[in-house]
Amino acid sequence: MLVELARRQGLLTKDCEIKMVKRPRDPESALIADFLKLYDWLVDNACKLASADRISDVVSEDTAYRLYVQLLNKEAYRAFRRSLYAGLEVPRWGRVLLLGAGLIEPANFVEAAQMLGVRPDFAVQEVDREICEELMRLSSSYNYTVYCGYDIGESFDGVVVQNVLHWAEDPQRVLIEARRLGRRMLCSQGVIEGASVGFL
């Protein structure tokens, strides 16, 4: 689909090379620049995947997860998260909960706090047992509290829901819980199931 869209818009040249087009804002903010780098990488790799000799409509769950992890580990995405947190000054909100944190989020949050010159006060929550155990192992390095599961017995000045909704069986419940736990909420969603590539 991405290949066909690129062809129709005259952006696809050959071998999945995408013509650069003028960005809507010049100069653009660091936040938008980081997001567009991520999006360019995503489109380029989707194009290469779609142009492969053999391709099926559905990839295995293991393959999908591996590609997702590659995306999350791209420097452009890490830079995007740092810019998002620093740009909105989330580390200055007070005590913050990273809901569905994963393994990369805490480090990016600490880096954003350092960009702002503040010492972060935050906790992380995760439902995956293996990820939770790894977060507990890393917690002493970044000085955060870990909540495994949904039993969180405190409230926060802010809650971050970063790229979590597409994993949740009940995304609405996640948002309701986030609003219950925090006075403020940041919801950033890069991939939404059933909606192609979206951003919220």
Side-chain angles (χ1 to χ4, degrees):
M1 181 183 72
L2 284 168
V3 174
E4 185 58 30
L5 278 172
R7 284 199 182 103
R8 289 184 186 185
Q9 293 177 359
L11 299 176
L12 188 66
T13 54
K14 59 179 182 176
D15 300 326
C16 284
E17 292 177 4
I18 306 293
K19 287 182 190 173
M20 291 305 295
V21 295
K22 184 170 174 49
R23 299 302 192 194
R25 288 176 59 190
D26 189 22
E28 60 204 6
S29 69
L31 177 61
I32 295 299
D34 286 335
F35 172 67
L36 290 173
K37 285 178 193 172
L38 168 67
Y39 193 78
D40 288 341
W41 179 87
L42 179 64
V43 170
D44 186 53
N45 280 269
C47 180
K48 289 173 183 173
L49 179 63
S51 300
D53 292 335
R54 289 184 298 172
I55 188 168
S56 62
D57 290 334
V58 180
V59 297
S60 71
E61 189 172 340
D62 287 344
T63 300
Y65 183 73
R66 179 175 51 79
L67 292 171
Y68 180 76
V69 169
Q70 286 178 10
L71 174 64
L72 290 184
N73 281 285
K74 280 288 171 184
E75 176 53 35
Y77 201 4
R78 292 198 298 267
F80 165 74
R81 285 192 298 262
R82 288 193 300 266
S83 296
L84 180 67
Y85 301 147
L88 296 174
E89 298 192 344
V90 179
R92 287 192 171 131
W93 286 3
R95 183 139 173 86
V96 175
L97 173 67
L98 306 182
L99 199 67
L103 292 175
I104 305 165
E105 204 90 13
N108 295 155
F109 192 79
V110 169
E111 290 162 359
Q114 290 170 345
M115 290 167 65
L116 295 172
V118 299
R119 184 175 178 178
D121 181 10
F122 71 109
V124 303
Q125 179 270 350
E126 184 56 63
V127 295
D128 184 285
R129 175 53 58 184
E130 289 183 15
I131 294 176
C132 202
E133 288 174 359
E134 185 64 15
L135 283 169
M136 285 191 278
R137 190 182 69 77
L138 295 170
S139 63
S140 59
S141 301
Y142 295 109
N143 195 27
Y144 56 76
T145 305
V146 180
Y147 293 98
C148 297
Y150 294 101
D151 188 18
I152 300 173
E154 66 172 302
S155 58
F156 297 84
D157 297 299
V159 176
V160 172
V161 183
Q162 156 61 17
N163 228 28
V164 171
L165 300 182
H166 64 293
W167 293 110
E169 290 182 12
D170 187 351
Q172 187 175 9
R173 179 188 170 200
V174 172
L175 294 175
I176 291 171
E177 183 70 1
R179 292 298 290 144
R180 183 185 70 80
L181 291 168
R183 292 190 303 109
R184 304 172 76 176
M185 179 177 69
L186 165 63
C187 179
S188 170
Q189 181 64 40
V191 182
I192 302 172
E193 293 292 339
S196 185
V197 176
F199 193 77
L200 171 65

